[in-house]
Amino acid sequence: MSVSEATRADICALAIAECFRDDGEVLVSAMGTMPSLGARLAKATFEPNLLMTDGFNLLLRHALPLGAKPTDEDIEGWMPFGSVFDTLWWGRRHVMMGASQIDQFGNQNIACIGPWRHPKAQLLGVRGAPGNTINHTTSYWVPNHDARVFVPSVDMVSGVGYDRAASLDAASSRFHEIRRVVSNLGVFDFNTPDHRMRLVSIHPGVEVDRVLANTGFELVVPDRLDTTPVPTPDQLSALRELDPQGHAQKELVA
Amino acid sequence: MIDKRMTADEAVAHVADGMTIGIGGWGSRRKPMAFVRALVRKRVKDLTVVSYGGPDVGILCATGQAKKVIYGFVSLDSIPLEPHFRKARQSGTIEAVELDEGMFLLGLRAAAQRLPFLPTRAGLGSDVLKINPHLKTVKSPYDDGEELVAVPALELDAAFVHMNRADASGNGQVLGRDPYFDNLFCMSAARAYMSCEELVSTEELTRGGPLQSLLINRMMVCGVVEAPGGAHFTECPPDYPRDEKFQREYAATAKDAAAWKAFRAKYLDGSEADYQKVVGHERL
């Protein structure tokens, strides 16, 4: 892998890292390879105070390369599952999950395809998505942006979107925040009057039409559209150190 | 001190058709598999299985013994979705109660505290409330008036957990880095049974690790089973890692009925000693 040339995967990793900017001392739970790399990049560069685990129960002081086994010197604390639940109910957490389906208000489905009672395909189940989304900040990563993922309505609401949150009492939804969605094509948020999904930036080399054609609902497109930032040389070398085997490079379809 | 030593088969003798059983561990980690294998041999049926599910759930789905599964998830960890559970869900052979992982914990905690429910924000706005019409909300009686989900207690007829070490009277020790919620499973159950990698004297037990590792005390359990390799093929650190090769072999049997039948005959129809002999031999 060239050190000087940024790939689409590098751009995605940086866009994911940016989701955690200014989070400070919160527990980051990044599900999957690319989110892990992005979160580690944030911690290794501009957001060193993030708390991160080894994916199991150890809190690690530094962002280690993907796949690296922590030594005793890397450990700063203990986070068994019981403490993860306490922390997520406390709200000091930002999770980045995947989404098998996501709609224009950010309702996410990881549970099943088809009706829940007789699913065509059983997926992961809701896991912690309902509790995560109603208790603390959530972002999403989608490596395969197409109209089967970005759908008009999801088959089962696992992670709660803005329209569902708005239908609750103000007190019940006060901790709900979907920060951003990062896909292989662009970056999206919900900073619109009615919290519908908005295109924030497209990755270099991606046409807006391609994003629209692969999105199954009407996307808010601002007049001024940014291009997703390309990693600086320092960020690139950090990415090479954090993913020496290039696992994240393999995750992208195109 | 009561000597609670027994065999896994003696423990599951108390499990009757139609009972609700809780199974400790998490995914494919420190699961009380020797008890699960004993349940398979006993052919007890119409079970409601309550679990942070792994192959315990998958196996009881594959044998047709699970009628209903109450779960936060069912995963083999290195294989994200339990294939036998997936098959059971897609073919509609089980009744499913799918809860948010945190709601599941509160259900156990409510049962352990003998409360009808515990409140949480988790579930609000999601379809978990839609697919589980039995779930109700409560309004805070205080000035805030906040609406919350009332997670009903997950009361168990029997619970099964696996520890690294235990003594004969029922004190149990976790030497791995996550206790999961095994103490709550025991306290949520009318009768709880603990297996262990190694049965030791109380003196050896308290010397064998930090006092915080003594997760289970003898009030919580009515039976203790020494079962070396009793969590196999799930992980049981520091005693052994997950047997990934065996897990892949197990997972592949969800694809065809003949493969599952052969797997069951080879590994599950004999005694626990037979099982350990076969897998021990294959591990060498």
Side-chain angles (χ1 to χ4, degrees):
Chain A
M1 193 61 57
S2 158
V3 174
S4 58
E5 257 175 78
T7 64
R8 177 70 57 78
D10 298 325
I11 290 160
C12 291
L14 176 59
I16 288 168
E18 289 292 343
C19 297
F20 302 105
R21 190 178 280 278
D22 298 328
D23 272 351
E25 287 185 325
V26 304
L27 176 66
V28 167
S29 299
M31 317 296 185
T33 303
M34 190 70 88
S36 297
L37 179 60
R40 286 172 204 221
L41 177 64
K43 185 171 169 62
T45 55
F46 56 82
E47 207 56 41
N49 291 323
L50 297 175
L51 282 80
M52 290 176 63
T53 71
D54 61 344
F56 298 95
N57 41 54
L58 299 177
L59 287 168
L60 303 181
R61 299 159 69 188
H62 308 292
L64 297 185
L66 293 177
K69 221 175 141 53
T71 65
D72 286 352
E73 285 71 41
D74 296 319
I75 301 169
E76 68 163 331
W78 185 48
M79 186 62 69
F81 284 116
S83 302
V84 174
F85 288 120
D86 287 341
T87 305
L88 91 84
W89 292 326
W90 187 34
R92 297 290 290 263
R93 186 168 182 249
H94 183 167
V95 67
M96 178 173 267
M97 294 184 280
S100 304
Q101 294 177 324
I102 191 164
D103 72 16
Q104 63 177 335
F105 291 107
N107 294 294
Q108 166 246 31
N109 175 24
I110 49 172
C112 61
I113 298 297
W116 182 85
R117 209 145 293 282
H118 302 285
K120 205 170 91 194
Q122 170 71 33
L123 304 177
L124 295 176
V126 297
R127 300 235 36 166
N132 292 342
T133 46
I134 206 71
N135 279 296
H136 59 64
T137 305
T138 302
S139 295
Y140 293 108
W141 158 244
V142 178
N144 51 330
H145 190 136
D146 66 35
R148 280 168 307 178
V149 179
F150 288 73
V151 292
S153 72
V154 303
D155 291 353
M156 193 211 171
V157 175
S158 311
V160 177
Y162 277 100
D163 56 341
R164 291 291 192 101
S167 72
L168 302 170
D169 292 347
S172 301
S173 61
R174 68 194 189 275
F175 305 119
H176 177 264
E177 181 200 358
I178 305 177
R179 178 82 45 91
R180 233 165 272 167
V181 178
V182 178
S183 82
N184 58 320
L185 300 183
V187 179
F188 309 83
D189 69 13
F190 300 87
N191 294 328
T192 53
D194 57 355
H195 293 295
R196 279 193 297 145
M197 195 188 291
R198 174 181 79 148
L199 178 57
V200 175
S201 68
I202 44 173
H203 302 332
V206 176
E207 298 296 324
V208 181
D209 286 348
R210 181 170 169 207
V211 177
L212 298 181
N214 284 286
T215 301
F217 52 80
E218 197 185 328
L219 201 56
V220 178
V221 182
D223 297 335
R224 220 204 84 194
L225 191 59
D226 288 329
T227 303
T228 312
V230 175
T232 64
D234 282 353
Q235 289 170 328
L236 261 191
S237 59
L239 281 168
R240 295 293 170 267
E241 276 172 37
L242 292 169
D243 186 13
Q245 270 108 49
H247 292 300
Q249 306 289 337
K250 292 167 207 148
E251 196 178 327
L252 283 193
V253 268
Chain B
M1 230 77 93
I2 308 166
D3 185 347
K4 296 174 182 164
R5 286 175 295 173
M6 60 176 66
T7 66
D9 293 298
E10 285 166 343
V12 302
H14 298 280
V15 179
D17 292 352
M19 275 191 176
T20 297
I21 61 165
I23 301 180
W26 176 283
S28 189
R29 307 177 200 183
R30 200 162 45 73
K31 279 286 172 182
M33 297 302 286
F35 283 126
V36 173
R37 291 186 280 267
L39 288 166
V40 171
R41 283 193 297 276
K42 186 177 157 67
R43 295 175 183 264
V44 58
K45 59 182 196 293
D46 296 333
L47 296 173
T48 293
V49 181
V50 179
S51 179
Y52 282 115
D56 50 336
V57 170
I59 286 173
L60 293 172
C61 285
T63 59
Q65 293 169 277
K67 183 183 177 203
K68 179 173 173 182
V69 183
I70 303 176
Y71 57 93
F73 58 82
V74 186
S75 170
L76 297 176
D77 294 301
S78 50
I79 300 170
L81 182 57
E82 220 296 344
H84 288 282
F85 165 75
R86 172 179 220 159
K87 189 178 169 190
R89 274 283 286 139
Q90 290 176 185
S91 57
T93 53
I94 51 160
E95 187 187 333
V97 176
E98 184 167 313
L99 301 173
D100 167 84
E101 294 171 11
M103 293 172 77
F104 184 98
L105 168 54
L106 293 173
L108 279 183
R109 201 170 271 166
Q113 296 178 14
R114 303 177 298 170
L115 293 170
F117 68 88
L118 277 172
T120 181
R121 218 167 270 124
L124 291 173
S126 80
D127 280 347
V128 164
L129 299 188
K130 203 168 90 184
I131 61 168
N132 293 296
H134 69 285
L135 294 178
K136 293 182 166 45
T137 60
V138 285
K139 218 173 176 61
S140 164
Y142 298 102
D143 289 345
D144 58 273
E146 188 169 344
E147 192 183 26
L148 298 160
V149 177
V151 183
L154 290 169
E155 287 168 2
L156 310 171
D157 294 311
F160 300 96
V161 299
H162 185 75
M163 297 288 119
N164 298 94
R165 306 283 178 272
D167 69 14
S169 61
N171 297 300
Q173 182 173 49
V174 172
L175 295 174
R177 282 170 170 161
D178 200 321
Y180 309 122
F181 305 98
D182 287 0
N183 51 336
L184 292 181
F185 274 99
C186 292
M187 294 162 81
S188 300
R191 303 175 69 90
Y193 302 88
M194 168 174 64
S195 56
C196 61
E197 286 300 313
E198 194 184 348
L199 193 84
V200 295
S201 68
T202 307
E203 293 73 25
E204 284 175 90
L205 187 72
T206 55
R207 276 202 312 264
L211 292 175
Q212 308 91 287
S213 64
L214 297 167
L215 180 70
I216 304 294
N217 65 57
R218 59 191 168 82
M219 289 185 288
M220 298 179 187
V221 295
C222 59
V224 180
V225 176
E226 186 172 37
H232 182 271
F233 50 92
T234 72
E235 67 166 35
C236 188
D239 292 312
Y240 44 88
R242 184 179 303 126
D243 188 340
E244 296 287 358
K245 184 166 168 273
F246 190 95
Q247 177 161 291
R248 282 194 296 274
E249 180 185 343
Y250 159 74
T253 63
K255 286 198 194 83
D256 97 278
W260 165 251
K261 210 175 145 202
F263 180 94
R264 178 173 179 164
K266 182 175 178 188
Y267 297 113
L268 298 178
D269 285 343
S271 69
E272 179 69 13
D274 292 337
Y275 175 85
Q276 294 298 341
K277 212 165 118 188
V278 177
V279 301
H281 178 73
E282 293 197 345
R283 266 182 282 175
L284 298 175

